[in-house]
């Protein structure tokens, strides 16, 4: 595709994916009681962590791959590995949850059974991005959106978390099959080899560590607060972040799918400037979105999140500020990923752990509201650190950084 068409298709695809995620949580909130939505949110949070892990291990190294035949081989190998790993992990998760009583455990069983479907379909989105065919990912995601809305719309109020998880997961099956057909025709004759993903030193191993300390740490800390304190903490914080669902997906997608698009932009300096401009646009969008949500009447908010609206609405100032900072930090990480993908780990470790400390300290000082502001402070610190590192790399290395980045890209499977 031409650059403009690829950008439009990629942005549209991320918008559809974001809309799907937010509508899933909105539908679950409207179909569930407060306690039921808290259970669904906890299980969906587990899925979100696993989705990020798989994306970091297979997807992010994949989009750094260059070269026609090498990219085709890498796409088939990445999808095959994702499907196999998801099937094994899903079986372990479902088997373990069967031994535990309770509604949350039953929902985890359902999640384990549908993991190969939802994670396999996501892996193919990375493959289409790598092949510079984002319009095919868009077609599959539009089908998934239609199917999930139809499936959840057919459920009755009060449906259990396990049933909602199963319906949501199985509704992605048509999109998975469509993606498989489209990908097979575009990679006919390509070689499939999952062994690089099992070797020590695979670039995805580093990216998983970054994700673990950068994303999963704070989300698992929220689960921990819900376990040690009140389960309503999970529902309130997840309800607030649900309202920013489109931005959340776009931020993740910027790191995951941005390199193939930004590689079309001239030289390194222009790519960094384009990334900085993107940071400004996304931060402004986050601020405007937070303002619009804050002005939303309570009646309309209740229609979105049901009984969870009142607790989530109180967190909008903190969550909105957090997402504005996340926009800047995410684009800073994207810039570093293009300069040298091995320079971001230290930032992720230090400032993500700091965010957990801020989260716990905020909760101890001011409850749920304090926890939300703690997460915001962590995002601000990380944003400052990423762009400081970008500036230092540009001053210290200049053209030499591009050579390091090219070497790192060639080492990706």
């Amino acid at each position: 595709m031409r650059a403009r068409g690829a950008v439009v298709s990629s942005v549209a695809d991320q918008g559809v994916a974001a809309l799907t995620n937010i509508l899933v949580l909105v539908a679950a909130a409207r179909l569930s009681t407060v306690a039921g939505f808290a259970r669904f949110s906890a299980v969906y949070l587990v899925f979100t962590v696993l989705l990020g892990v798989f994306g970091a291990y297979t997807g992010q190294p994949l989009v750094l791959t260059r070269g026609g035949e090498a990219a085709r081989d890498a796409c088939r190998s990445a999808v095959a590995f994702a499907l196999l790993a998801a099937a094994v992990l899903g079986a372990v998760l479902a088997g373990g949850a069967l031994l535990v009583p309770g509604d949350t455990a039953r929902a985890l069983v359902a999640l384990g059974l549908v993991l190969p479907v939802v994670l396999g379909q996501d892996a193919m989105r990375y493959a289409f991005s790598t092949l510079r065919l984002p319009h095919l990912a868009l077609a599959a995601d539009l089908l998934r959106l239609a199917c999930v809305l139809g499936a959840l719309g057919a459920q009755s109020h009060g449906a259990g978390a396990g049933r909602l998880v199963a319906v949501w997961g199985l509704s992605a099956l048509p999109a998975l099959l469509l993606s498989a057909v489209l990908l097979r025709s575009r990679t006919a004759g390509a070689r499939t080899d999952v062994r690089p993903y099992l070797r020590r030193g695979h670039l995805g191993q580093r990216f998983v560590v970054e994700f673990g300390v950068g994303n999963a740490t704070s989300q698992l800390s929220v689960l921990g607060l819900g376990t040690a304190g009140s389960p309503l903490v999970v529902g309130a914080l997840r309800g607030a972040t649900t309202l920013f669902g489109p931005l959340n997906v776009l931020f993740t997608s910027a790191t995951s799918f941005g390199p193939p698009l930004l590689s079309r932009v001239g030289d390194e300096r222009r790519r960094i400037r384009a990334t900085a401009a993107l940071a400004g646009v996304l931060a402004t969008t986050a601020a405007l979105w937070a303002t619009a949500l804050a002005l939303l009447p309570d009646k309309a908010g209740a229609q979105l999140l049901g009984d969870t609206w009142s607790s989530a609405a109180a967190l909008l100032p903190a969550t909105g500020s957090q997402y504005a900072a996340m926009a800047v930090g995410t684009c800073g990480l994207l810039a570093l990923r293009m300069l040298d993908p091995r320079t971001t780990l230290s930032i992720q470790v230090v400032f993500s752990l700091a965010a957990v400390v801020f989260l716990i300290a905020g909760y101890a000082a001011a409850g749920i509201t304090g926890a939300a502001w703690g997460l915001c402070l962590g995002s601000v610190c990380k944003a400052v650190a990423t762009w400081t590192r970008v500036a230092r790399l540009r001053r210290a290395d200049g053209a030499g950084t591009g050579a390091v980045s090219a070497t790192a890209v060639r080492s990706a499977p």
Side-chain angles (χ1 to χ4, degrees):
M1 296 185 67
R2 292 183 177 180
R4 181 174 299 180
V7 170
V8 171
S9 295
S10 184
V11 171
D13 177 51
Q14 305 317 316
V16 171
L19 182 62
T20 301
N21 280 345
I22 191 172
L23 289 181
V24 165
L25 287 167
V26 167
R30 297 185 66 179
L31 290 169
S32 308
T33 62
V34 174
F37 181 66
R39 284 191 290 269
F40 181 87
S41 296
V43 174
Y44 200 81
L45 189 56
V46 173
F47 161 71
T48 302
V49 172
L50 293 177
L51 181 68
V53 169
F54 270 70
Y57 196 86
T58 61
Q60 292 181 25
L62 178 61
V63 297
L64 296 176
T65 306
R66 298 291 180 266
E69 193 61 32
R72 285 152 46 87
D73 291 345
C75 286
R76 291 191 68 132
S77 300
V79 171
F81 175 82
L83 288 170
L84 290 173
V88 172
L89 181 60
V92 172
L93 177 62
L98 279 174
L99 304 177
V100 181
D103 293 337
T104 302
R106 287 194 291 271
L108 286 172
V109 172
L111 177 62
L113 295 177
V114 302
L115 267 186
V117 178
V118 291
L119 294 180
Q121 198 261 333
D122 188 72
M124 293 186 194
R125 296 177 67 235
Y126 284 95
F128 289 133
S129 177
T130 303
L131 296 173
R132 297 188 176 184
L133 300 170
H135 59 292
L136 300 183
L138 175 60
D141 281 337
L142 284 172
L143 177 60
R144 182 179 183 184
L145 174 61
C147 291
V148 74
L149 289 182
L152 290 177
Q155 306 307 305
S156 58
H157 186 272
R163 180 183 180 89
L164 292 179
V165 170
V167 169
W168 156 76
L170 292 176
S171 67
L173 188 57
L176 173 68
L177 296 176
L178 175 63
S179 298
V181 171
L182 294 174
L183 182 63
R184 182 179 180 182
S185 65
R186 267 68 180 183
T187 59
R191 186 171 57 93
T192 302
D193 184 9
V194 300
R195 288 176 297 177
Y197 293 92
L198 304 175
R199 293 172 184 161
R200 184 178 180 181
H202 170 56
L203 191 58
Q205 296 169 5
R206 189 179 188 90
F207 291 163
V208 166
V209 175
E210 291 190 22
F211 170 79
V213 297
N215 298 86
T217 301
S218 61
Q219 296 188 31
L220 292 175
S221 298
V222 171
L223 283 177
L225 286 179
T227 301
S230 169
L232 296 179
V233 174
V234 179
L237 289 174
R238 284 298 292 169
T241 55
T242 296
L243 297 172
F244 291 84
L247 292 173
N248 199 46
V249 174
L250 285 174
F251 294 166
T252 303
S253 300
T255 302
S256 302
F257 301 101
L261 294 176
L262 289 169
S263 65
R264 299 169 179 264
V265 178
D267 57 18
E268 183 178 275
R269 178 176 296 181
R270 291 179 60 189
R271 287 194 291 271
I272 300 302
R273 288 179 178 176
T275 307
L278 177 62
V281 171
L282 290 179
T284 301
T285 302
L288 292 175
W289 185 252
T291 302
L293 290 173
L295 297 175
L296 198 66
D298 287 339
K299 184 177 181 180
Q303 291 178 345
L304 283 175
L305 290 182
D307 295 338
T308 308
W309 165 256
S310 59
S311 58
L315 305 182
L316 285 177
T319 306
S321 300
Q322 177 193 358
Y323 271 80
M326 284 173 61
V328 179
T330 297
C331 291
L333 290 174
L334 174 58
L336 289 175
R337 188 65 57 84
M338 292 185 296
L339 290 171
D340 183 353
R342 300 181 183 274
T343 60
T344 56
L345 181 57
S346 59
I347 291 177
Q348 292 280 38
V349 170
V350 172
F351 291 96
S352 295
L353 294 178
V356 173
V357 173
F358 297 150
L359 168 70
I360 297 173
Y363 181 73
I368 298 176
T369 303
W373 279 111
L375 289 173
C376 175
L377 179 59
S379 296
V380 170
C381 292
K382 186 183 291 187
V384 173
T386 55
W387 283 102
T388 300
R389 178 67 63 85
V390 169
R392 288 177 179 174
L393 284 176
R394 291 290 299 146
R395 287 197 303 265
D397 234 352
T401 313
V404 175
S405 179
T407 300
V409 168
R410 286 194 296 270
S411 69

